[in-house]
Amino acid sequence: MDLYVVVLVEVLYGVASLILISAGLAIVFGMIKVINLAHGEFMMMGGYATITAVNLGVNVFVAMLVIAPVAVGLVGLVVERLVIRHLYGRLVDTMLATWGLSLFFIGLATMIFGNTTTGISTPIPGFAIGDYQVNGYNFFIIVAAALLLVAMLSVLKGTRAGLVARGTMQGPEMAAALGYSPDRIYMATFFCGSALSGLAGAILAPLVGLVPTSGGAYIAKAFITVIAGGPSLVAGLLSSASLFGVVNQAFTFATSPVIGEVALLVAAVVLLRILPQGVTGTFFKGKI
Amino acid sequence: MSLNRRNILTGAAAAASAAMLPRVAMGADSVKLGSILDTSGIFDAYGTPMDMAMRLAVNEINAAGGLLGRQVEVVAYDTQSDMALYTQYGQRLTRQDQVDVVHGGILSASREAIRQTMRKTRTLYFYNVLYEGGVCDRNIFINGVTPAQQVEALVPYAMGKSGKAVYILAADYNYGQITARWIQKFVADNGGDAVGVDFFPLDVSDFGSTIAKIQTVGPDLVIAPLVGGAHLSFFRQWAAAGMKDRIPLASTTMGVGNEHKVLTPEEGNGIMVAYNYSQELDTPANNAFKERWSAAHGDSSLIHEIAVSNYQGVMTWAEAVRQAGSLDREAVIAALESDLSIDGPAGTVTVDPKTHHAVLDVHIMEVKDQGMRVIETLPQRQPIDTQAVCDLQANPDDNTQYEIQI
């Protein structure tokens, strides 16, 4: 019985971490159609921002939930103004430009922090479920991912800003005719996407050893999740992350981590063969 | 000359290669030591201290009058953590610079990229890194510890402190696979049982399911030859789950690149390891070495296992040249094969004539407050894994890396 609870926690954790990893990318790719290959590096910067702040004596939760997203969001803002805004609507060019950015950020982080592994310890102690010890931080990640989805949903659906943003994505000319500047809205959206990437990197930082090249480990999973999710932002993220999280953790638990990773990729290939538009291209149509 | 793309590329390539030429003036009568290491890129945490150690050794040799009355000159290339550059610089060291010896290579892949070039051009080659064992080639001398040297010492100690059921978590490439097999063998030899073995690709950083799985099996001890930054997460997540005080942990890799300085004391304390070197080794030789390092390079906290191996490799070669009284490859090999030994910072290093590997002191240690506290020293351990497959005395033309069957 205890084992089932532990496995359930691990599966939820797997889903939650996929949601966190992919949220920033989903906004940038899903809403403004920029393929941000520097997404992993934005996460890496979130991790470094957290670790630096904690080493300077800032409370770890403040560092993770406030400092890292704001810092990375600001970096994203600069990047958007200098590079991305010239490339809206040019999908392939954004790929090339953001790939260059990712190399640049890796180099920059190496110069500043050195090419060594750094990290902080998890702020929440482990605890027992029956005979098993589990990582208490997993619960924090599950809660954070759930809150993130709720926040995204309520902002997009419940606020005027969300409505304007969605409207601009559907018809920038119409939004402009109604007096909203698409340029400003794209900028704000990119800021939010970068900040979410930073947040994800920050929240995952205590679980990993961080190096300047850490971002590479996330980028593939993030893209698979976002693309398999399809056009709807929140529903897509939730459905594909749930599917892949369950598949990955179930296979990892039943066999080995190698098979777990393979199973995730196989599931993604099969899914995209059956549903080329992603899960929400067929199901949950019209949802956000 | 018209300015087309091809001309520009040729010009740029020529300029770039001119810029990469070593700055040291080539003294006609100096002894040339070639060094080939990744001092930039993702492996620079390993390579940079190795380079510093090599330069320290050469400076000391020169300060003591050089070799054969001649100064030793370093011809060093940075391979930028790019395996393709090893082939290129390996060719250059042997054919263009015509060095007398080459020290270097970090990953096994980099060693295999240049080993045959060294052999063909009859350039003596030293590979000074702990590795998976099994290379059998008369032209190469290896003085890092091999899995059997470490595991043979570590397993009985760790099992003595915990119990007989052992769970193994290893990196999924040749080092991890081979080391895991040796662990299984020594666990069985010590009357224990390997209750589980899991392999992890180098980019896996999420160990939650594995930690739960380990608990369903309930071993007495976990041995983790995991490699690299992503795998460091395991030690962190293990501590975060509160497992550290329930099941003891041992590793054959944690700390080689000073990883134990990244983990907090709460995460790292108590992890059992076995290496040739520790900064906390309290011997006159090591204390003097650290002082000389500080004088030359400043921060002695950079010193790690394979930096010391590199230092000992250069010193072993220098001693062989002195004994041979010549730089001739055959004479130096003969000197190295005559039970030659030196006293390095990590203890006595003796060349095993049969395998060209090293007989070394292995220290069993426990991580304590971001240092490695030496518990027990096992003097002069033989490289028994390679000895089982390799005999260069009987078969001097051998040129294989054996997969050691256990």
Side-chain angles (χ1 to χ4, degrees), chain A residues 3 6 10 13 115-122 125-126 131-136 206-209 213 249 252-253 255 257-258, chain B residues 41-42 44-45 172 199-201 205-206 208-210 212-213 215-216 229 232-233 236-237 240-243 246 262 264 267:
Chain A
L3 181 61
V6 172
E10 287 300 332
Y13 160 76
N115 201 352
T116 45
T117 318
T118 50
I120 47 172
S121 29
T122 46
D131 291 337
Y132 292 89
Q133 280 284 332
V134 292
N135 187 345
L207 287 176
V208 298
T213 48
Q249 295 287 351
T252 302
F253 205 80
T255 54
V258 185
Chain B
I42 56 170
D44 78 333
D172 196 8
F199 293 101
F200 301 89
S205 63
D206 182 9
S209 301
T210 307
K213 198 166 145 191
Q215 295 183 58
T216 61
L232 194 63
S233 315
R236 189 153 270 157
Q237 290 167 20
M243 290 304 297
R246 295 192 154 204
V262 177
T264 61
E267 291 166 344

Side-chain angles (χ1 to χ4, degrees), chain A residues 53 90 134 180 198 203 213 219 250 261 264 278 285:
Chain A
R90 292 155 61 187
V134 292
Y180 297 102
I203 290 180
T213 48
I219 188 89
E261 299 278 305
L264 191 156
K285 260 191 175 162

Side-chain angles (χ1 to χ4, degrees), chain A residues 11-12 22 57 68 110 161 165-166 205 212 232 269 271 282:
Chain A
V11 168
L12 282 179
S22 317
T110 311
R166 284 191 289 144
S232 306
V269 170
L271 183 83
T282 309

Side-chain angles (χ1 to χ4, degrees), chain B residues 193-351:
Chain B
D193 188 15
V195 290
V197 187
D198 273 333
F199 293 101
F200 301 89
L202 289 171
D203 59 350
V204 167
S205 63
D206 182 9
F207 292 88
S209 301
T210 307
I211 290 172
K213 198 166 145 191
I214 293 171
Q215 295 183 58
T216 61
V217 179
D220 300 318
L221 170 70
V222 173
I223 304 184
L226 297 169
V227 175
H231 284 181
L232 194 63
S233 315
F234 168 74
F235 298 99
R236 189 153 270 157
Q237 290 167 20
W238 182 254
M243 290 304 297
K244 204 173 73 67
D245 303 318
R246 295 192 154 204
I247 303 177
L249 201 57
S251 173
T252 59
T253 45
M254 221 280 303
V256 174
N258 278 338
E259 290 89 347
H260 58 292
K261 293 187 190 292
V262 177
L263 298 176
T264 61
E266 299 79 54
E267 291 166 344
N269 279 356
I271 298 176
M272 295 172 272
V273 294
Y275 295 116
N276 179 226
Y277 180 74
S278 152
Q279 284 184 23
E280 280 72 29
L281 207 56
D282 190 16
T283 58
N286 184 35
N287 292 331
F289 174 71
K290 286 199 287 188
E291 273 174 31
R292 295 199 303 274
W293 181 290
S294 300
H297 301 303
D299 187 5
S300 71
S301 73
L302 291 173
I303 306 174
H304 53 48
E305 168 88 9
I306 51 183
V308 172
S309 290
N310 208 28
Y311 178 89
Q312 293 177 159
V314 175
M315 286 307 193
T316 306
W317 165 75
E319 182 58 30
V321 172
R322 277 189 212 107
Q323 288 194 7
S326 152
L327 283 166
D328 175 61
R329 187 180 78 119
E330 288 302 326
V332 176
I333 290 180
L336 282 161
E337 284 180 343
S338 61
D339 279 327
L340 178 129
S341 69
I342 61 149
D343 286 316
T348 304
V349 181
T350 310
V351 179

